[in-house]
Amino acid sequence: MSDELPALPWDRARRRTPARIPLTPERIVDAAYTVLDREGYEKLSMRQVATELGVAVSALYTHVSSKDELLELMYLRLFRGWTLPDPDPARWREQVADFAREGLKRLRGHRDLARISMTGVPFSPEVLPQMERLVSLFRVAGLPDRVAGAAGDIISTFIDGFAFEESMLENRRRGSDGLSWPDMRAHLRQFFADLPPDRFPNLIALADHMLPRDEDDRFDLAVEIIIRGLASFAEEAAENAATAGHPGPTARSAAGGPEETGERGEG
Amino acid sequence: MSDELPALPWDRARRRTPARIPLTPERIVDAAYTVLDREGYEKLSMRQVATELGVAVSALYTHVSSKDELLELMYLRLFRGWTLPDPDPARWREQVADFAREGLKRLRGHRDLARISMTGVPFSPEVLPQMERLVSLFRVAGLPDRVAGAAGDIISTFIDGFAFEESMLENRRRGSDGLSWPDMRAHLRQFFADLPPDRFPNLIALADHMLPRDEDDRFDLAVEIIIRGLASFAEEAAENAATAGHPGPTARSAAGGPEETGERGEG
DNA sequence: ACGCTTCGGAGAACAGTGTTCTCTAGATGG
DNA sequence: CCATCTAGAGAACACTGTTCTCCGAAGCGT
């Protein structure tokens, strides 16, 4: 603002103490992320954030109305610079998988971030464009409306839940002992091996596949399962469209059933 | 224990004040659930639980080592008296759907219980039988090992995540206003209707299907999607088994690709 | 360059949290 | 009846989120 005015004589003196960087929501969120990464969600407190900034606690409240709002601002960072590609009907499965992987990657970007994400409001202006493009992707893929409308929510819920449980396990590993991840895995493998074979034959048989996730395989598999489930609805819709009017023996439309057109006279 | 001994003279006097019911983990968990239902997760504190029991806070710590342990005990109640039926290959889809619905019903049984469930340890002795039967169900259904081993985790994660978000929304409804659920729905419908049509055409088009869950339809749909995804792996495995050795043109195995048979030499 | 207003940060305070300590009163074993 | 032991009481500690008052420095008009 004062940059455009001619400099007054005493201007220089007043510019001499810019040592104090102005406090902003942006800087507060930065500091909060620093504390989060270092201390974890449980110890993320307004006082810790203030200390991180070298500032009084009360100073935070002039830029951030509450801790909940701070958490909300941290949540919104998840979506910064995250734009989904234009939907491509031929590659929608890949695109959904890419979306899921990117989401998990971002949630893994900061310790316990999944705990914060889980409680975030999904209807904020920053998130809506994401939802819009995701929904458009599902529509382009040929999913019926009611499936397309729910699909984004379903896969997002799963990504959050997966990352959340991962974060829980990681904290448990940190807390109980200083066990490394391989040690933790070995320990759990032994746990499954030591189960009474008469009571837990299946858990023992699949022990290798029951181990907690330390790579992306299980996540990718889960996403693939969801995508296949979605795809089955797309195929079903395509078949129904092809045989419209004269219902032939569609072998696998057992679960679908007729769908009410939700037209209401008030929108 | 002392019932079997002959009564001593001062026995009567000592029996005269049984007014004090002995404190047990069981009673503490009961009281904690009472507080949870009345006040919600955020206000569930050891002091509130103690007050509910008419007891000092420190008294709780002789029966429960920490608040975390109390939460863990509350979590374990989820599984009390919950036994899965014997797996039936012909009805495995229904059985999985029933399991999911029962889980959601139990999570809905107490306010914010999903928040507690999300952080619960899934490897406790009380939960393992559940897992065992679930895994056996997936194996009987014909899922390949690596899918069967992950399926239980996947669907459980989703159930928890779904209930968690539901609980978040419910708390938000409670907090912001005293809006009834229909009012909340109407409000959100209006929100979607008021979106700029050029930027959010798909969200607006599917507004009716984007509304937050207030019935079980969306949950059932999500479970159906996951089950269909699982089923596709079962079908794939069946086909592979049938045409083993001479790979014929399997029409619908576009996304699957060749699958490594995860046989390891140590089980 | 002066005075005035404005406002962001500081510090103390309040009510509440989980947990631990000491101590007493009442039930238990001899 | 007495000694013992322990479950519960109460106070205390180190925290938490939030709000209050107050001060000092920056910004304005003159």
Side-chain angles (χ1 to χ4, degrees), chain A residues 106-152:
Chain A
R106 283 170 179 254
L107 286 174
R108 281 173 171 169
H110 292 94
R111 178 176 171 191
D112 291 345
L113 179 51
R115 270 240 252 325
I116 296 174
S117 165
M118 203 88 214
T119 71
V121 191
F123 293 121
S124 22
E126 291 87 345
V127 189
L128 278 180
Q130 188 89 343
M131 275 295 240
E132 166 69 20
R133 292 186 80 87
L134 198 54
V135 167
S136 86
L137 174 56
F138 289 129
R139 293 187 84 189
V140 160
L143 297 182
D145 282 359
R146 108 174 184 287
V147 180

Side-chain angles (χ1 to χ4, degrees), chain B residues 44-75:
Chain B
L44 171 62
S45 69
M46 299 299 273
R47 275 169 173 87
Q48 288 286 328
V49 174
T51 304
E52 181 68 26
L53 288 164
V55 130
V57 211
S58 55
L60 303 178
Y61 284 84
T62 54
H63 304 271
V64 148
S65 69
S66 69
K67 186 184 180 182
D68 278 341
E69 183 180 316
L70 173 53
L71 293 176
E72 183 76 14
L73 291 177
M74 296 176 76
Y75 165 69

Side-chain angles (χ1 to χ4, degrees), chain B residues 4 11 13 28 98 102 116 123 134 167 180 221 267:
Chain B
E4 323 166 0
D11 233 29
I28 295 179
D98 286 345
E102 175 69 18
I116 297 174
F123 293 121
L134 198 54
S167 143
S180 70
L221 174 59

